[in-house]
Amino acid sequence: MSLRRVLTKLSGLGRHKHRCTICQRSCDTEQGLNAHMTSMHPTSRDEDAMDWQAAELLGVTRPSDVPAPGAALPEAPPQSPRAESDPGDDFFMPASPDRSASRQPSVEEVPDEYFEERNESAGAAYGECKVPFRAWQEAQHELDIDVYTPFADEDEWLFAEWLINSGIAQSETEKLLKLRKMQQLGLSFHNNRAFLKKIDSLPEGVGWTVEAIRVKGDRVGANNAFMFEDVELWMRNPVDIVKDLLGNAAFADYLVYAPFKTYMDEMKKGRVTGEMWTADWWWELQKRLPPGATIAPIILASDKTQLTSFRGDKQAYPVYLTIGNLPKGLRRQPTAHGTVLLGYLPVSKLEIFSTSKARSTATHRLFHYCMTRILEPLKCAGKDGVDVECADGFVRKVYMVLAAYIADYPERCLIACCKGNQCPSCTCPWKESGEPRPWPYRARDTILDLLQRGSSDKAFDAHGLTDVVTPFWAELPHCDIFQSFPPDLLHQLHKGVFGDHVLQWCIDIIGKDEVDCRLMAMPSHPAFRHFGKGISMISQWNGGEYRAVEKVFLGVVAGHPDKRLGQVARALLDFIFCARMPVHSDETLQFMTDAYDRFHKYKKVFVDHGRREHFKIPKLHSLSHYVAMIRLFGAADGYNTESPERLHIDFCKEAYRASNHRDYIAQMTTWLRRREAMHRFSAYVHWTLAHPLVVDTNSSTADTDSDTDCSLASFPEQAPSPLPQYALPKRPSFPRQSAAQIVKAHGAAGFVSSVQDFVKSTISAASYELCDDDTFDVYKRVTIKRTAPPFDSVTLVKDVIRATPSTPASSRRLQDRPAFFDTALVPLNPGVTHNLGLKEMRVVRIRAIFTLPERFHYEHPLIFFELFNPFHAVRSADVGLLRTTYSVRNGQKRVGIMRLDSVVRSCFLYPHFGDRVDRTWTSDTVLDVAKTFFLNEFSDDAMYAMP
């Protein structure tokens, strides 16, 4: 099975099996789907009484066998003799398939495309408990107070929630509440002090503690005594944080308590890995624990960050904690609060030490001492387990074990107690790090023994260790820190191997000016960043810019005389795009291995061109661990360092701005405590509204069971409205345009004859001539609404396609706005419209999006396009992309008209630049002047997964 076929099959994997095809809402059970259909689509249950007139308003096409009200079934329109008998004519007019017919409202069960193997004894419940928010709810009921208490009503609660989350300074809050208009609202708090007092009355989460640490230096002070420095460690109990996460009612529908293996067939072949509970680490550890044990895989992240933007040297060193029981998508979502701030490590230059080596050693030891103090409660919790009241109402014996540590490369070396030129995971020496040879992982006991012996042992230097006597992970049960570093997509791939190395090497070989010219000459596309000034002027890169360059990078290197340059670039991009997939199978992991081998096969091109002498690069070596780490912990996108870097904004930078910049860590913790209390209260309000308290008059206990989806507590899911396949603006961008105006503004040569041929073949063979007073409503863009396979068959992606003529500037200071006529993919065979491969489609360039004059009584929007030839059978030898050219007849581009709903999706074409780009080519004209084009298969995951 090919990689792309595997990716298509993986799109069926998921926890939700039952789906409503009216709104694409997924439900866990058939009962849940029936309840959804009854409440959200009551009229669609009776298919025999389907109101097709209403359905058409929702974007559902009336089947051909269903007559319109008061109308007889129309006869089939005559087919154009040109479209079938004369394929070499100048006009291409494929029959437009009724693609929207498949959106007929119905209920279906998504086929079960995977097979599971479960550990039946894992995650056992030992008793029942109240849902954590239920006790709060019952207390309010007994006191006969409103759910919004201590706030007066819903409006006051919403205002308080906005006020605490907006980041407004306390002085500005005071001014706001003192305004006369605000006083007239009758709020229960009239100034900032009263407001904060009300926030402080809310139930809080896990509390903060501070520990003073005295560091003794080697420099002698004025009194002939060694100098010392006092620092502070702010921390929270990790066991209490894990209890809080497992007991959060907002997560009840998302938490997973036991591992399982997933396969693509019933013979248990084709292992599938995505979330942590489907990977090997959890499964193997479960075997070593008592039957019925529940594992809480702890995921830590730490990274030092700058608090001041333009001046000052204020820094914070946050440590974050989350658990693998939560889905990775929820862990990455800052507003979900699935990742919690665990502590602030002290930041100090430690100038009490006389040498930089001594300061470095002291910094390493201080880090490990502080982490040891923070994680001290995990020693007993990981060894003996802890009884935890979980969000589903059951008590479990939970073993809290450090599973993974998200960190960049310097932080990993700090954690692993190794030097910066060593691999923190394996025993590979620096001199061998440039070759794709496997090396064994570092042995935990061996490293601990060497750290105790110190630098006097020869093996100490051979392993590249730093002088840390007792690392924080030494006594953590079931923790092998050297196998706890999952892939880091941002620093290792996007910024590391690609951005810092391969991109720069290719720029040196091709030439800086040439690379800039090629990027500037790339066509514009709504979904792509266009580098209108090249990339040589970019001084501050971020992950988004690296990913944007990756999408168009093959178009830059394509056509270079040394084909190995394109081959090594293609190998790296295959590895990157495959590594960031949210779901993996044995085939995708083998493809990653093959891409890794291909990269090393062709990397000598950089040596031959004088760009490198060796490849002893730690980040390049780290790629050798990706497949093993994905098998161990699940897909790499769940452990990207972008997530903790995003959390720096909420937990560090905004908190620092809210302080007076003196003793700021203490003020930051207070500010965060209040925000968390407000979030907890808001989650409780949502949960209570979704789970009203039902009192049994015949019993003293309240009913704690509810079939309501607990996800409504903090993550309200609104079913999307039924949508058509495409969306046009409510009003045409250019109403009542004559044919001559369209031809001139859109460069639509052949428009009139194409319209007449379409009308003749589709609507009326008798009356198809255009009149002088016929006008067309023209739209400058359309949004195609499509699903996002290969991994998400529910979420709708907005795919914008433009057909915009140039517009003059509104003032002398501005330039005229150029025209944008985007390219798209349409079926090669109009009779086949689903599950199309790339070679089963062809490219069109859309020149106009319009509707016919009213007198033709044809309601479907149409497109006027320029046609490309089918893709070449053989891919390009260097970058391995599909190639195409304009379809030309008698020296003229072939054009045609088809229905708008025939468009599958937009696409992006690379022009073939050759050895040197023509300096007259621009982004606005390149699609008109270039002869050969490559299809960009790296535009998004859906395109990359197409077979």
Side-chain angles (χ1 to χ4, degrees):
M1 187 182 296
S2 68
L3 171 69
R4 300 183 188 277
R5 297 286 183 188
V6 171
L7 297 182
T8 303
K9 186 174 179 62
L10 287 178
S11 65
L13 300 180
R15 295 179 61 192
H16 302 291
K17 308 286 184 59
H18 303 268
R19 182 184 308 141
C20 168
T21 54
I22 300 178
C23 65
Q24 297 298 317
R25 173 74 179 270
S26 294
C27 303
D28 286 321
T29 63
E30 184 177 0
Q31 292 81 0
L33 178 62
N34 293 333
H36 164 76
M37 291 295 299
T38 302
S39 61
M40 301 300 296
H41 314 290
T43 59
S44 63
R45 302 293 291 176
D46 187 0
E47 296 185 5
D48 295 334
M50 173 62 69
D51 184 355
W52 283 104
Q53 187 173 4
E56 287 181 322
L57 296 177
L58 299 177
V60 181
T61 304
R62 185 192 307 271
S64 58
D65 58 347
V66 179
L73 184 67
E75 297 182 0
Q79 296 295 322
S80 168
R82 285 186 175 186
E84 298 181 359
S85 62
D86 189 7
D89 202 352
D90 295 344
F91 299 96
F92 174 80
M93 295 194 323
S96 297
D98 192 359
R99 294 173 52 84
S100 60
S102 63
R103 294 192 62 83
Q104 175 179 341
S106 62
V107 182
E108 66 173 5
E109 182 175 336
V110 180
D112 191 358
E113 300 186 17
Y114 63 95
F115 301 86
E116 296 178 354
E117 176 186 354
R118 293 183 176 270
N119 188 326
E120 300 299 336
S121 65
Y126 293 97
E128 295 185 0
C129 63
K130 287 185 178 180
V131 176
F133 283 158
R134 185 66 74 184
W136 190 351
Q137 188 182 40
E138 291 178 353
Q140 287 188 331
H141 177 75
E142 292 177 359
L143 296 175
D144 193 23
I145 57 178
D146 190 76
V147 64
Y148 302 107
T149 304
F151 302 103
D153 52 28
E154 179 182 7
D155 291 335
E156 184 173 293
W157 158 61
L158 292 174
F159 175 69
E161 184 181 37
W162 172 84
L163 204 58
I164 201 70
N165 293 325
S166 62
I168 297 178
Q170 294 190 28
S171 59
E172 299 301 318
T173 302
E174 181 76 16
K175 294 178 182 178
L176 175 64
L177 295 177
K178 289 294 185 180
L179 292 176
R180 183 179 303 173
K181 280 289 185 181
M182 298 300 299
Q183 298 286 341
Q184 294 174 355
L185 294 178
L187 298 174
S188 61
F189 45 89
H190 59 280
N191 56 27
N192 183 68
R193 184 174 179 274
F195 170 69
L196 294 180
K197 187 176 181 180
K198 196 170 287 288
I199 297 297
D200 291 338
S201 69
L202 296 174
E204 298 179 358
V206 181
W208 286 88
T209 59
V210 59
E211 179 176 320
I213 302 173
R214 174 163 290 188
V215 182
K216 183 179 180 180
D218 61 2
R219 294 178 62 182
V220 178
N223 55 355
N224 292 326
F226 288 112
M227 301 176 65
F228 62 87
E229 181 177 348
D230 292 327
V231 295
E232 289 183 343
L233 170 63
W234 289 81
M235 57 185 173
R236 297 199 275 190
N237 191 319
V239 173
D240 293 340
I241 290 179
V242 175
K243 287 182 177 180
D244 190 63
L245 290 172
L246 291 174
N248 191 337
F251 298 152
D253 203 41
Y254 298 93
L255 288 165
V256 176
Y257 304 101
F260 57 86
K261 293 183 178 180
T262 306
Y263 301 92
M264 297 182 71
D265 56 57
E266 58 185 348
M267 301 302 294
K268 294 185 179 179
K269 297 180 179 179
R271 175 83 179 274
V272 175
T273 304
E275 298 286 355
M276 178 177 263
W277 53 79
T278 66
D280 289 337
W281 181 91
W282 196 336
W283 185 270
E284 295 302 323
L285 179 58
Q286 195 75 51
K287 297 177 181 178
R288 305 201 299 266
L289 295 179
T294 300
I295 298 176
I298 293 179
I299 304 171
L300 296 180
S302 62
D303 184 31
K304 194 180 298 183
T305 184
Q306 195 77 18
L307 297 177
T308 51
S309 300
F310 301 105
R311 62 179 182 178
D313 59 351
K314 297 294 191 300
Q315 291 180 320
Y317 204 155
V319 181
Y320 304 107
L321 182 148
T322 186
I323 53 177
N325 310 80
L326 292 172
K328 55 190 176 181
L330 192 146
R331 299 198 306 261
R332 293 194 303 258
Q333 187 179 353
T335 56
H337 295 260
T339 301
V340 183
L341 180 64
L342 176 60
Y344 287 114
L345 302 180
V347 179
S348 174
K349 296 180 180 180
L350 295 182
E351 295 180 348
I352 56 177
F353 291 91
S354 57
T355 64
S356 60
K357 182 178 180 180
R359 281 193 292 272
S360 177
T361 300
T363 300
H364 292 179
R365 291 180 175 181
L366 178 62
F367 169 84
H368 282 274
Y369 174 80
C370 292
M371 291 298 296
T372 300
R373 297 292 301 131
I374 293 176
L375 302 180
E376 183 70 27
L378 291 182
K379 295 178 182 179
C380 293
K383 181 180 179 181
D384 303 324
V386 178
D387 290 336
V388 177
E389 297 181 352
C390 299
D392 60 352
F394 293 98
V395 179
R396 293 178 172 86
K397 177 72 75 173
V398 178
Y399 291 77
M400 304 176 187
V401 180
L402 176 58
Y405 205 120
I406 303 173
D408 57 16
Y409 179 74
E411 192 87 358
R412 294 184 182 206
C413 293
L414 172 64
I415 296 165
C417 304
C418 68
K419 296 179 181 178
N421 61 351
Q422 300 291 317
C423 175
S425 297
C426 71
T427 59
C428 175
W430 177 78
K431 293 182 179 180
E432 302 290 338
S433 60
E435 299 303 321
R437 172 187 166 185
W439 292 86
Y441 285 99
R442 292 175 181 263
R444 179 177 181 273
D445 294 338
T446 301
I447 299 299
L448 287 175
D449 182 60
L450 289 174
L451 291 175
Q452 290 294 326
R453 294 182 186 181
S455 57
S456 59
D457 194 306
K458 294 182 178 180
F460 185 92
D461 291 331
H463 283 76
L465 301 179
T466 57
D467 193 8
V468 176
V469 179
T470 307
F472 72 86
W473 40 265
E475 299 181 12
L476 293 180
H478 310 295
C479 173
D480 186 351
I481 198 65
F482 305 111
Q483 297 189 51
S484 299
F485 299 123
D488 177 11
L489 298 177
L490 175 62
H491 291 97
Q492 291 176 345
L493 282 182
H494 299 308
K495 184 181 183 301
V497 177
F498 177 77
D500 293 341
H501 300 295
V502 173
L503 175 61
Q504 298 303 321
W505 301 339
C506 290
I507 290 176
D508 292 340
I509 293 174
I510 300 173
K512 183 186 301 184
D513 293 339
E514 180 69 16
V515 170
D516 284 344
C517 289
R518 292 184 178 218
L519 288 171
M520 290 188 290
M522 288 284 182
S524 171
H525 190 280
F528 286 77
R529 173 174 175 176
H530 182 253
F531 295 91
K533 296 182 180 180
I535 59 176
S536 61
M537 300 297 291
I538 300 178
S539 58
Q540 191 76 22
W541 288 77
N542 57 38
E545 288 167 331
Y546 286 122
R547 288 190 292 269
V549 176
E550 288 169 0
K551 290 183 178 182
V552 298
F553 187 57
L554 286 186
V556 175
V557 300
H560 191 272
D562 193 336
K563 290 183 172 54
R564 294 177 301 168
L565 192 65
Q567 291 167 337
V568 72
R570 175 64 192 248
L572 178 60
L573 289 180
D574 278 333
F575 187 93
I576 291 174
F577 269 70
C578 203
R580 65 189 187 91
M581 292 177 181
V583 181
H584 282 279
S585 68
D586 292 337
E587 287 82 357
T588 62
L589 295 178
Q590 182 59 48
F591 181 80
M592 283 181 62
T593 303
D594 295 341
Y596 178 75
D597 293 338
R598 281 189 286 123
F599 177 85
H600 282 279
K601 177 182 178 180
Y602 297 116
K603 69 183 180 183
K604 193 174 181 292
V605 65
F606 301 119
V607 177
D608 295 342
H609 284 271
R611 304 323 327 153
R612 291 295 299 176
E613 295 180 358
H614 63 83
F615 295 92
K616 302 168 187 175
I617 304 171
K619 291 180 180 179
L620 178 58
H621 167 75
S622 67
L623 271 57
S624 63
H625 299 299
Y626 268 52
V627 172
M629 289 296 102
I630 290 174
R631 293 187 186 277
L632 196 62
F633 293 114
D637 66 326
Y639 308 95
N640 197 350
T641 51
E642 279 187 293
S643 296
E645 289 195 0
R646 167 60 183 83
L647 293 176
H648 290 341
I649 299 175
D650 296 332
F651 292 124
C652 297
K653 300 182 187 297
E654 288 187 1
Y656 176 76
R657 285 195 290 266
S659 72
N660 62 8
H661 305 171
R662 293 187 297 271
D663 191 22
Y664 52 87
I665 295 294
Q667 297 179 56
M668 289 165 62
T669 56
T670 301
W671 185 82
L672 290 169
R673 174 179 57 79
R674 287 167 174 161
R675 287 193 67 173
E676 289 179 354
M678 192 69 214
H679 168 76
R680 181 182 298 270
F681 179 77
S682 298
Y684 164 73
V685 170
H686 286 295
W687 184 89
T688 301
L689 296 178
H691 300 75
L693 184 65
V694 179
V695 180
D696 187 353
T697 57
N698 298 321
S699 174
S700 59
T701 61
D703 183 11
T704 60
D705 296 328
S706 174
D707 293 331
T708 308
D709 189 356
C710 291
S711 63
L712 294 175
S714 184
F715 315 105
E717 295 182 2
Q718 296 181 356
S721 302
L723 296 170
Q725 186 188 3
Y726 58 85
L728 288 170
K730 293 182 179 180
R731 296 180 179 83
S733 308
F734 309 102
R736 304 186 64 83
Q737 296 287 298
S738 66
Q741 289 175 314
I742 295 176
V743 171
K744 181 179 179 181
H746 294 256
F751 176 78
V752 174
S753 55
S754 297
V755 170
Q756 293 180 157
D757 287 342
F758 179 84
V759 172
K760 181 178 180 180
S761 63
T762 307
I763 301 176
S764 172
S767 176
Y768 61 87
E769 295 285 346
L770 291 180
C771 302
D772 293 338
D773 58 349
D774 281 334
T775 59
F776 304 80
D777 288 339
V778 182
Y779 301 84
K780 64 181 180 181
R781 67 175 57 201
V782 61
T783 301
I784 304 293
K785 290 182 170 61
R786 55 179 176 82
T787 56
F791 312 109
D792 189 348
S793 57
V794 177
T795 305
L796 292 177
V797 175
K798 295 182 179 180
D799 190 0
V800 177
I801 301 176
R802 302 166 300 179
T804 308
S806 60
T807 54
S810 57
S811 68
R812 294 181 179 180
R813 296 184 300 104
L814 304 177
Q815 296 180 350
D816 294 345
R817 185 175 179 82
F820 299 105
F821 301 111
D822 293 333
T823 52
L825 292 174
V826 299
L828 186 63
N829 180 1
V832 180
T833 60
H834 296 286
N835 299 323
L836 296 173
L838 290 176
K839 291 189 176 181
E840 297 170 317
M841 294 183 285
R842 69 194 307 171
V843 179
V844 296
R845 188 183 184 193
I846 299 177
R847 284 282 180 175
I849 306 168
F850 65 98
T851 56
L852 291 175
E854 294 182 0
R855 69 183 182 89
F856 290 111
H857 303 290
Y858 192 81
E859 61 181 1
H860 298 287
L862 305 173
I863 60 171
F864 175 77
F865 59 86
E866 296 171 343
L867 182 67
F868 286 75
N869 288 316
F871 295 114
H872 294 188
V874 180
R875 292 174 176 266
S876 60
D878 51 357
V879 293
L881 295 176
L882 294 172
R883 291 170 293 174
T884 187
T885 57
Y886 276 109
S887 181
V888 179
R889 185 69 173 178
N890 297 326
Q892 300 293 325
K893 295 177 181 178
R894 293 175 63 193
V895 296
I897 288 179
M898 66 171 61
R899 277 174 48 173
L900 177 60
D901 56 11
S902 297
V903 176
V904 177
R905 56 160 298 153
S906 69
C907 66
F908 184 87
L909 297 182
Y910 299 128
H912 186 276
F913 293 114
D915 295 347
R916 186 175 183 274
V917 63
D918 189 331
R919 294 306 195 260
T920 63
W921 289 5
T922 67
S923 175
D924 305 333
T925 62
V926 68
L927 287 176
D928 297 315
V929 297
K931 303 299 182 183
T932 304
F933 301 89
F934 298 104
L935 177 67
N936 183 2
E937 300 170 35
F938 291 84
S939 57
D940 53 54
D941 290 334
M943 178 70 80
Y944 186 70
M946 283 187 176

